[in-house]
Amino acid sequence: MEAMLKMQIYNHLGQYDMSKEIYEQYQNIIPEDNVYLKNKFLNEYELSAKKFILDSKPRNLQVVLFDKCQFNCIMCNQKEKKHNYSLPEQYMEEIADLFPYLDSITWQGGEIFLWEDFVKILQNVAVYKQISQNIVTNLQNINKETIKQLSQIPNIKLIISVDGTNKETYEQIRRGSSFKKLMENINLLNKYKLKYKSDMQMHINFVILKENFNEILNIVDFAKTHNFNGITFNECISTPDYSNVFGRETRSKIERMLDFAVVKAAKENICLTIHYSSKASNIAKSENIKKDILICKLPWYKLLLGEDYTFAPECTCFKRENYYINKNKLTISDMWNSGTMQNYRKHIIGLKENKKICNSNCRLYTNSYF
Ligand SMILES: C[S@@+](CC[C@H](N)C(=O)[O-])C[C@H]1O[C@@H](n2cnc3c(N)ncnc32)[C@H](O)[C@@H]1O
Ligand code: SF4
Ligand code: SF4
């Protein structure tokens, strides 16, 4: 709807009064039974009115179903985990209640394809045509039959972790994984995408490490050769073995490579996202938080249900000293308006009494959530 789009643009530009005007004009015109649009409209209004307690429901969810994974990648904290977390049944029901309101849902593990009947979940959610489903996976625990089924589900984005463009680098980083298996499955995906005329998007997640930073440009070629739509370069966070600690010289080399990668990817029509601190806008720094323009909209748009009952707008919002654990087993709607989520919103609005809750190393271009 045109009015909705206008509101989003005004909110994006920080012209909140214009956005509020549109809301006043149209709020009663939207049919009562169009709960999706009504919620989205209200959500944009609440953002423009800088409300920190929301009547609107989350429009984007990220859900960690469990933390099970049999691999042991060098940058991941898998081996420190007890592998006994799985999302309580009660939340599954609440998540299902939110489907009519959602723009997107991101599914993650551990390794999500180890979840029994995961494809069934995707098929059930696909009934809600407005929802884009994002799946973060290593693509190792998936067989031909599952790939066939996936290719027939609409509106899916597979985010595949590829941290190396060859066997040596890939298997050195992704300990226990097989580069051969990865390639077989990428080829099967391309085959069945074609066969079923699938609209599935394929993206690469690449964590920048000492072992692979020289392959930053190669991964763009890899993406092109294997029909990927996009790449996200991620900075390594809280690694157990210091793979992310680069000297100043290496850091500037990485930055130059990322600059080249941007140009190369644009030529190849590959969408590039860079979550690397010196390349990001450092939006969470308090000197960037002004009252007149909301520098991040995520706390209004999104809720992450992380492992071990943690929650936040996004996983990179967590600060080590301030992990937000849902000790009281709050409902999802309680979490949405919890003190924690209010504090993120208050911080971004610039309410002075609020402590600095945002991660000062926040590397997200959150305006991409439109
Ligand atoms: C925790 S994994 C779970 C999904 C799946 N097992 C996989 O590897 O794709 C989610 C994403 O986080 C990335 N990741 C793992 N450790 C990381 C770290 N220390 N810093 C940044 N990203 C990391 C992975 O490469 C993957 O793309
Ligand atoms: S496959 Fe994913 S969850 Fe498993 S160890 Fe690697 S990054 Fe971590
Ligand atoms: S830490 Fe989270 S809420 Fe804060 S600016 Fe970054 S993405 Fe937004």
Side-chain angles (χ1 to χ4, degrees):
M1 181 185 181
E2 202 183 316
M4 181 74 246
L5 190 62
K6 275 191 190 160
M7 263 181 106
Q8 286 179 283
I9 293 170
Y10 284 134
N11 280 345
H12 190 68
L13 297 173
Q15 297 182 12
Y16 305 115
D17 287 343
M18 300 293 281
S19 177
K20 281 189 262 182
E21 248 177 57
I22 296 179
Y23 181 73
E24 301 300 342
Q25 222 177 316
Y26 287 92
Q27 59 165 320
N28 296 323
I29 296 175
I30 306 171
E32 279 306 316
D33 59 353
N34 194 342
V35 292
Y36 166 73
L37 198 56
K38 262 204 144 13
N39 183 62
K40 193 161 174 164
F41 225 61
L42 178 63
N43 184 252
E44 289 293 337
Y45 166 73
E46 290 182 323
L47 177 104
S48 63
K50 299 182 182 171
K51 293 201 182 278
F52 49 83
I53 300 175
L54 308 185
D55 287 328
S56 59
K57 298 174 195 300
R59 288 158 49 187
N60 303 279
L61 279 184
Q62 183 165 353
V63 181
V64 173
L65 283 180
F66 63 172
D67 60 0
K68 193 168 153 194
C69 173
Q70 77 279 49
F71 297 121
N72 181 17
C73 301
I74 56 174
M75 69 292 189
C76 187
N77 57 1
Q78 267 302 313
K79 59 179 175 295
E80 293 160 18
K81 288 181 188 162
K82 294 192 190 98
H83 294 127
N84 56 7
Y85 174 76
S86 76
L87 190 83
E89 196 60 38
Q90 147 213 351
Y91 289 140
M92 285 298 230
E93 285 165 25
E94 271 195 86
I95 290 167
D97 290 341
L98 286 172
F99 288 155
Y101 306 95
L102 292 183
D103 283 325
S104 79
I105 185 157
T106 300
W107 302 105
Q108 196 181 308
E111 175 44 46
I112 200 75
F113 283 103
L114 294 174
W115 184 272
E116 210 180 318
D117 284 341
F118 176 55
V119 173
K120 194 105 212 110
I121 295 181
L122 297 174
Q123 288 165 335
N124 290 339
V125 177
V127 171
Y128 296 87
K129 301 222 178 323
Q130 88 286 356
I131 304 182
S132 312
Q133 299 194 75
N134 307 317
I135 304 155
V136 191
T137 176
N138 57 30
L139 213 67
Q140 295 282 322
N141 304 97
I142 185 168
N143 58 30
K144 192 168 156 183
E145 205 39 52
T146 309
I147 291 176
K148 259 193 205 175
Q149 289 173 316
L150 271 183
S151 308
Q152 295 172 75
I153 303 173
N155 219 351
I156 276 189
K157 179 163 148 188
L158 265 192
I159 302 163
I160 303 168
S161 303
V162 186
D163 307 303
T165 54
N166 55 62
K167 181 177 165 63
E168 288 66 38
T169 315
Y170 179 87
E171 291 181 3
Q172 185 187 6
I173 295 168
R174 305 212 129 245
R175 288 186 295 217
S177 308
S178 152
F179 188 68
K180 184 164 170 268
K181 185 86 191 154
L182 172 79
M183 295 316 299
E184 277 169 12
N185 285 338
I186 289 174
N187 291 337
L188 282 173
L189 273 169
N190 278 316
K191 177 178 162 185
Y192 288 112
K193 265 184 72 178
L194 209 62
K195 177 166 179 188
Y196 296 113
K197 298 186 174 56
S198 165
D199 65 357
M200 183 198 291
Q201 296 265 314
M202 281 164 52
H203 282 242
I204 288 175
N205 241 12
F206 184 101
V207 181
I208 302 173
L209 301 161
K210 275 184 189 157
E211 291 76 4
N212 67 6
F213 73 89
N214 276 319
E215 294 177 27
I216 284 175
L217 292 174
N218 302 357
I219 196 78
V220 181
D221 294 324
F222 181 98
K224 173 72 186 161
T225 310
H226 300 290
N227 302 319
F228 281 87
N229 308 89
I231 307 170
T232 300
F233 288 107
N234 288 303
E235 183 156 9
C236 183
I237 45 173
S238 54
T239 174
D241 70 354
Y242 306 104
S243 289
N244 63 334
V245 181
F246 297 112
R248 200 193 296 173
E249 216 172 289
T250 314
R251 259 197 111 75
S252 46
K253 192 172 172 190
I254 290 171
E255 283 161 22
R256 282 199 302 280
M257 282 187 194
L258 288 172
D259 287 338
F260 279 122
V262 169
V263 177
K264 206 170 156 111
K267 272 193 201 147
E268 305 291 8
N269 213 8
I270 290 168
C271 169
L272 210 71
T273 310
I274 299 174
H275 296 157
Y276 196 69
S277 55
S278 45
K279 285 274 154 207
S281 45
N282 254 333
I283 46 181
K285 281 198 172 150
S286 46
E287 61 265 30
N288 287 338
I289 305 279
K290 297 186 197 122
K291 278 186 186 167
D292 51 345
I293 181 141
L294 305 180
I295 216 104
C296 171
K297 303 201 275 307
L298 264 194
W300 283 265
Y301 287 174
K302 186 177 173 194
L303 182 69
L304 160 85
L305 303 182
E307 62 200 39
D308 294 334
Y309 309 97
T310 52
F311 68 97
E314 249 291 346
C315 52
T316 50
C317 303
F318 290 127
K319 281 205 275 194
R320 201 188 276 269
E321 71 275 19
N322 211 352
Y323 227 62
Y324 308 109
I325 297 178
N326 165 15
K327 289 191 190 101
N328 305 322
K329 308 254 164 66
L330 304 170
T331 64
I332 293 179
S333 62
D334 289 339
M335 284 183 233
W336 185 230
N337 275 318
S338 60
T340 301
M341 289 299 284
Q342 284 185 43
N343 277 343
Y344 280 110
R345 295 174 193 134
K346 284 179 182 173
H347 179 56
I348 288 160
I349 292 167
L351 286 181
K352 286 217 165 33
E353 78 264 23
N354 189 49
K355 62 179 181 162
K356 292 172 190 166
I357 189 169
C358 284
N359 188 342
S360 60
N361 288 322
C362 170
R363 294 153 293 114
L364 290 176
Y365 291 106
T366 56
N367 281 331
S368 60
Y369 273 87
F370 207 59

